[in-house]
Amino acid sequence: MKSTTRYVLLAALCCALAAGGASAAVSATKAPTNVKVATGFFPNVIFTPYYVAIARGYYAHEGLNVSMNYDRVPNLLQSVADGAYAFGASSGDSALIGRDTGARIKYVMAQYTQYPVGAMWLKHGGPTIKKPSDLKGLRIGISSPGSATDFGLKALLKAGHLTESDVTVTAVGFAETDALIHHQIDVAMTFTDNEPVQARALGYPVNVMKVSKYFRLTPNGVVTSQSLFNSNPNEVKGFVKATLRGQAFTLAHPDKAFKIALKFMPDLVDPKDIAIQRKVLTARLAYQQPISHEPLGWSNPKNWLLTRNFLKSIGALQHQVNPASVFTNKSVNQVNLHVTTK
C-alpha cells in the first residue's frame, strides 16, 4: 500500500461520531458487556483493527468490554457456536466447513477482501512458474491436510487442470519458508500476506502466485453464534461497527495503528523483528482494501457460492450447505461505513 494513500471517512460516520457524546452519556449508566474474541492464534498484527478498537475506545462506546483470547481451542467455531466466545476470527471456507459439521455460526463481517493464500518459490534458484499448470512435477509444501494452504493448492491445481498425482505434496507445518530455503520443497503454499515478507527479510527474495487470481474464495472475517445473532442483534451490530472503525483507522493511519498494536504484542521487542512486522502489516492491509461502492466489511455473495461449490468439488463439504445460512451482510449494511481513496 503506497504511503501516499489516504482514507477519508464519509460524512455519515462524522455525523455518527458527533452524536457520540449523547449516546455515551446514556450508556454510561449501564455496565459494559464483557466480550471474548477467539483467535486460535497468538498476538499478531493481523488483529490490529481489534487492538485499535480497544485502545481508542470504539468498543467501549458501543457498551462492550472486549478481550482477545489466543488459546488454541480444538474446535474454535464450535466454541463460538456454543457461546464460549462471543465472536471469533475465521476464513469463509472454514466457516462453511464449520457449519457443515454442525457449528451454528454466522459470518457477520469481512476483514479481508482478498483470499491471502498462494504459492511461493525462490526467485533465485527456484523453478520457473508463470501459470498454475507449471506446478506439474514439483515438490509442494502445505502446512497440513485440510488446511487453508491445502485448499489453496487444490485451487491452483484445478486452475492448471492438474491433480495431486501430478505433484508431490508434503506437509511441512508452519516451517514452509525454512523448507523452501533449504530446498526440501520447490514451492510453498503459504499465507502470502506474511511469509514472503519474512523470506525477503532473511535474504531470500521470492515470487508469488495468488490463489485469488484464479479463485475468488471468501477470505478472513468475523463470526458469531447464530444464537447471539438472533437474540442480540444490537450487540453484534455494535461489535461490527467498532471493529470496522478500527479497520478504517488502520487503513488510514497504518503507522499509528502499528504503534497501538505493539502494546498488545509484548513479546515483540527486537528492533529487527518490529521492522519486519511493520512490513507485514503493510502486506496484510494490501489484502484488506475496501470494495468499491460497498460498505467496509461487506462480503460478496457470489464468492460465497463459488467457495461452497469449490469445497464441495474437492470433498471438503459433506452436505450442500446454503451460503445464506452461513453469512450475512445485515450488520455491515446497517453500520454502512464507507472509505474512499483520494
Side-chain angles (χ1 to χ4, degrees), residues 139-168:
R139 301 169 299 163
I140 303 177
I142 61 173
S143 56
S144 62
S147 65
T149 56
D150 183 21
F151 298 153
L153 173 58
K154 288 178 168 62
L156 290 181
L157 293 177
K158 187 178 286 286
H161 304 288
L162 302 174
T163 67
E164 288 193 50
S165 62
D166 292 313
V167 297
T168 301

Side-chain angles (χ1 to χ4, degrees), residues 72-94:
R72 294 295 183 92
V73 288
N75 192 330
L76 186 148
L77 293 182
Q78 189 61 57
S79 295
V80 172
D82 293 341
Y85 306 97
F87 299 92
S90 173
S91 59
D93 47 13
S94 293

Side-chain angles (χ1 to χ4, degrees), residues 137-207:
L138 299 180
R139 301 169 299 163
I140 303 177
I142 61 173
S143 56
S144 62
S147 65
T149 56
D150 183 21
F151 298 153
L153 173 58
K154 288 178 168 62
L156 290 181
L157 293 177
K158 187 178 286 286
H161 304 288
L162 302 174
T163 67
E164 288 193 50
S165 62
D166 292 313
V167 297
T168 301
V169 182
T170 303
V172 295
F174 295 107
E176 55 267 69
T177 298
D178 189 65
L180 195 64
I181 289 171
H182 290 89
H183 300 282
Q184 296 167 355
I185 54 176
D186 302 307
V187 175
M189 291 302 303
T190 189
F191 286 87
T192 50
D193 62 337
N194 177 30
E195 290 301 325
V197 175
Q198 305 281 1
R200 290 170 191 136
L202 293 172
Y204 294 91
V206 293
N207 293 312

Side-chain angles (χ1 to χ4, degrees), residues 110-121:
Q111 178 181 352
Y112 278 51
T113 52
Q114 190 180 144
Y115 196 70
V117 174
M120 178 178 80
W121 63 97

Side-chain angles (χ1 to χ4, degrees), residues 13-325:
L13 175 62
C14 296
C15 293
L17 294 179
S23 61
V26 174
S27 62
T29 60
K30 183 180 178 181
T33 301
N34 292 323
V35 168
K36 286 185 179 181
V37 180
T39 67
F41 206 44
F42 53 84
N44 190 277
V45 292
I46 195 174
F47 305 119
T48 297
Y50 299 86
Y51 299 149
V52 168
I54 293 172
R56 291 182 62 83
Y58 299 158
Y59 289 128
H61 183 77
E62 300 300 325
L64 304 175
N65 178 34
V66 171
S67 60
M68 306 293 287
N69 185 282
Y70 303 103
D71 294 341
R72 294 295 183 92
V73 288
N75 192 330
L76 186 148
L77 293 182
Q78 189 61 57
S79 295
V80 172
D82 293 341
Y85 306 97
F87 299 92
S90 173
S91 59
D93 47 13
S94 293
L96 284 162
I97 294 171
R99 188 79 178 203
D100 184 54
T101 55
R104 290 180 56 78
I105 44 89
K106 202 80 167 179
Y107 183 108
V108 293
M109 187 205 102
Q111 178 181 352
Y112 278 51
T113 52
Q114 190 180 144
Y115 196 70
V117 174
M120 178 178 80
W121 63 97
L122 294 175
K123 186 171 290 187
H124 306 300
T128 299
I129 301 173
K130 295 183 178 180
K131 54 188 182 301
S133 60
D134 293 335
L135 295 172
K136 186 174 182 178
L138 299 180
R139 301 169 299 163
I140 303 177
I142 61 173
S143 56
S144 62
S147 65
T149 56
D150 183 21
F151 298 153
L153 173 58
K154 288 178 168 62
L156 290 181
L157 293 177
K158 187 178 286 286
H161 304 288
L162 302 174
T163 67
E164 288 193 50
S165 62
D166 292 313
V167 297
T168 301
V169 182
T170 303
V172 295
F174 295 107
E176 55 267 69
T177 298
D178 189 65
L180 195 64
I181 289 171
H182 290 89
H183 300 282
Q184 296 167 355
I185 54 176
D186 302 307
V187 175
M189 291 302 303
T190 189
F191 286 87
T192 50
D193 62 337
N194 177 30
E195 290 301 325
V197 175
Q198 305 281 1
R200 290 170 191 136
L202 293 172
Y204 294 91
V206 293
N207 293 312
V208 167
M209 181 165 58
K210 298 178 181 179
V211 169
S212 59
K213 181 178 180 180
Y214 304 95
F215 279 89
R216 294 190 176 277
L217 304 178
T218 300
N220 309 45
V222 173
V223 295
T224 189
S225 68
Q226 183 71 59
S227 175
L228 183 62
F229 181 79
N230 292 341
S231 64
N232 201 337
N234 286 335
E235 181 178 326
V236 175
K237 177 186 173 183
F239 182 85
V240 168
K241 180 179 179 180
T243 307
L244 288 175
R245 288 181 64 192
Q247 185 166 354
F249 182 92
T250 302
L251 288 166
H253 309 287
D255 286 331
K256 292 180 180 179
F258 183 67
K259 289 180 180 179
I260 291 172
L262 283 176
K263 299 176 183 178
F264 292 82
M265 299 183 289
D267 293 336
L268 188 61
V269 294
D270 185 276
K272 290 183 179 179
D273 292 336
I274 290 174
I276 292 172
Q277 289 307 307
R278 176 62 187 87
K279 292 178 181 178
V280 169
L281 177 61
T282 295
R284 292 196 188 284
L285 291 180
Y287 287 79
Q288 300 178 35
Q289 298 306 296
I291 298 173
S292 179
H293 307 301
E294 298 295 349
L296 193 64
W298 184 81
S299 191
N300 193 326
K302 292 181 180 179
N303 293 351
W304 278 94
L305 184 61
L306 184 154
T307 304
R308 190 278 307 275
N309 292 345
F310 167 71
L311 292 174
K312 185 71 175 174
S313 73
I314 64 173
L317 292 178
Q318 301 304 311
H319 308 93
Q320 194 75 358
V321 181
N322 182 2
S325 69

